[in-house]
Amino acid sequence: MKQRPTAVAAVSMIFAALACVSLNASLIVPTDLPTLVREAQAIALGRVTDVRGVIRPGTRRVESYVVFAVDESIKGAGGRTLIFKTLGGTSGRYRTVVPGSPVFEPGDEAVVFLGRGATPYPIGLSHGVFRVRRDGATGERRILPPPMLIDPKSTMTIRRGDGTRVPIPVDAFTSMLRGLAAGRQP
């Protein structure tokens, strides 16, 4: 009988300690395509040539530096190569995973929207990365953008596996972005 009050006291102390723990969370709200274009320091279509994980000084957290060969500069990026960073990655025995942060491999092709900073970064984590995929039948390069980025006024319900969303050819998407960068609405 005397052990029960001790167990109750121990459990109570554990719950009291857990109640004092601060929980941190992030919420990234998707934005529309015109805002994404306006906020970007650089927008470029290209291919990842290298990814390097670097441990942040004084921590065990890893950031990745991505070397990006630019095929087409849509806004800002004048060079043939961009270097930007993402949260998370692998360096030696350390690995950091950040939900929502894009992960790149050499050979990945994408349109990236990079934010301002000493070292640019994809805006809104993965919201600023549009992956290029090849159509299996035709070989055409296409992008499947989220519907809220194309039409923010749309009241459509987003469903997983929705067949009404169609991939956009890369040339049509980059043309749309150039128009938005020049101040024309879609």
Side-chain angles (χ1 to χ4, degrees):
M1 282 293 226
K2 289 192 177 200
Q3 290 181 345
R4 184 173 183 161
T6 305
V8 170
V11 170
S12 298
M13 288 178 61
I14 290 171
F15 281 122
L18 289 175
C20 296
V21 173
S22 171
L23 299 176
N24 296 318
S26 296
L27 175 65
I28 297 175
V29 179
T31 187
D32 62 356
L33 197 55
T35 302
L36 197 57
V37 170
R38 187 176 55 253
E39 295 296 319
Q41 167 188 333
I43 303 171
L45 166 66
R47 188 173 316 282
V48 175
T49 58
D50 194 18
V51 179
R52 300 269 170 105
V54 176
I55 298 172
R56 289 189 60 181
T59 71
R60 292 184 184 158
R61 287 181 288 185
V62 179
E63 294 177 339
S64 292
Y65 287 83
V66 179
V67 180
F68 195 74
V70 177
D71 293 335
E72 181 180 349
S73 177
I74 298 160
K75 179 182 176 184
R80 299 305 303 159
T81 302
L82 286 172
I83 297 176
F84 60 90
K85 73 178 175 180
T86 62
L87 301 175
T90 303
S91 179
R93 65 186 183 123
Y94 295 104
R95 180 176 182 213
T96 302
V97 176
V98 178
S101 185
V103 176
F104 292 98
E105 297 287 331
D108 288 351
E109 188 177 5
V111 174
V112 294
F113 293 72
L114 301 177
R116 292 163 171 66
T119 304
Y121 54 89
I123 294 176
L125 300 176
S126 288
H127 292 286
V129 177
F130 291 82
R131 308 277 180 169
V132 175
R133 303 287 185 238
R134 291 208 179 263
D135 182 286
T138 65
E140 183 180 33
R141 295 165 43 232
R142 297 175 173 239
I143 292 174
L144 181 64
M148 68 286 261
L149 289 178
I150 296 301
D151 186 4
K153 296 175 183 88
S154 172
T155 58
M156 70 185 286
T157 302
I158 300 170
R159 291 186 195 95
R160 184 175 182 184
D162 186 357
T164 60
R165 288 177 49 209
V166 295
I168 300 172
V170 171
D171 292 340
F173 187 67
T174 57
S175 177
M176 182 188 324
L177 296 178
R178 273 191 246 96
L180 288 168
R184 296 187 303 269
Q185 289 299 317

